[in-house]
Amino acid sequence: RASAFEYVHGSELFDYLRRDRAAAQVYEAWMTRLSEMQAPALVNSYDYVKFPTIVDVGGGHGALLVAILHANSSVRGVLFDLPEVLAGARLVREGGVESRCSVVAGDMFDHIPPGESLYILKTVIHDWDDDSAVRILRNCREAMSIDSRLLLIESIVPEGNEPHPSKFMDLNMLVLTHGGRERTAAEYRALLRASGFELSRIIATPSPMSLLEGIPQ
């Protein structure tokens, strides 16, 4: 089935953004601002300093990765995203972490930079249906060693009918994407198992986002 966005615009959201750079720049600017607002909660909720090199998969303009590197001076970073997205990634240079951060262009559906210690995906998996999400996660698993770790940053849908930001975002995903959605903890656990990971823990943060740590199996 087509999403409402696809019905109106004639193409899936991310295909549309690849064709319309003006729209893409607005989208990317909002994603950057959102990461900047969430960064303090996310940076202070996990022990990033244990990992020599962190790969931010689909990391956009690098707002979260730059914040992590600022807080952990011994850590190196790899910002990985599509080349047209990285063309606007000035934050690595402007943030003063250029000497500790590589900017690598590529497509997460094809390959992910191998051999590093921590792989972060912030609000990436919720954009995709289960089959596409598993493909991305399996590419991460292939890039990782048994000692590497995966960190998904997502808003988890709680059980029950109480209001929660994830439930409103789930409606947005239904309108905007072809199969993207917010998921429960059990659904993320199943995705990770299907991709070669075990969900080791879920860390709540002061923001609506949670950290889901995956261990390669």
Side-chain angles (χ1 to χ4, degrees):
R1 62 168 177 80
S3 67
F5 184 95
E6 189 172 353
Y7 180 80
V8 171
H9 295 282
S11 69
E12 185 272 333
L13 172 64
F14 295 107
D15 289 339
Y16 179 87
L17 293 175
R18 294 187 84 161
R19 293 199 314 270
D20 188 330
R21 284 309 300 160
Q25 287 169 1
V26 173
Y27 176 84
E28 291 160 12
W30 168 238
M31 292 295 100
T32 295
R33 182 62 188 128
L34 193 60
S35 287
E36 288 173 341
M37 291 189 293
Q38 295 170 341
L42 302 178
V43 169
N44 293 325
S45 297
Y46 193 72
D47 191 10
Y48 298 95
V49 75
K50 327 189 271 196
F51 302 99
T53 303
I54 297 171
V55 182
D56 192 353
V57 178
H61 291 174
L64 176 60
L65 185 58
V66 168
I68 292 171
L69 296 182
H70 276 163
N72 300 276
S73 60
S74 64
V75 173
R76 301 186 62 84
V78 177
L79 179 62
F80 180 74
D81 213 316
L82 295 167
E84 59 267 29
V85 175
L86 295 177
R90 301 183 304 274
L91 295 178
V92 171
R93 181 179 66 256
E94 294 173 356
V97 296
E98 201 169 13
S99 64
R100 291 192 287 129
C101 188
S102 303
V103 177
V104 178
D107 187 335
M108 62 188 173
F109 284 101
D110 294 331
H111 76 283
I112 288 169
E116 306 302 353
S117 47
L118 178 65
Y119 288 76
I120 296 175
L121 294 91
K122 178 182 180 293
T123 57
V124 170
I125 297 304
H126 82 149
D127 288 333
W128 305 100
D129 62 24
D130 285 356
D131 289 344
S132 298
V134 168
R135 182 177 170 188
I136 295 166
L137 292 170
R138 283 181 177 166
N139 283 347
C140 287
R141 178 63 188 92
E142 289 177 5
M144 296 166 66
S145 74
I146 197 67
D147 296 321
S148 302
R149 292 294 178 265
L150 178 77
L151 194 67
L152 303 185
I153 302 175
E154 297 283 358
S155 183
I156 298 175
V157 180
E159 301 293 339
N161 294 319
E162 294 300 315
H164 189 269
S166 64
K167 298 178 181 180
F168 294 99
M169 180 56 71
D170 195 37
L171 293 176
N172 286 334
M173 304 310 291
L174 177 66
V175 170
L176 289 174
T177 67
H178 188 74
R181 60 194 180 95
E182 305 304 315
R183 293 175 170 90
T184 64
E187 288 170 328
Y188 276 114
R189 186 183 301 275
L191 277 185
L192 288 168
R193 281 184 175 165
S195 309
F197 295 94
E198 191 65 31
L199 178 60
S200 63
R201 55 178 173 153
I202 298 175
I203 303 168
T205 78
S207 78
M209 312 306 292
S210 294
L211 310 179
L212 298 95
E213 185 183 61
I215 297 178
Q217 296 299 300

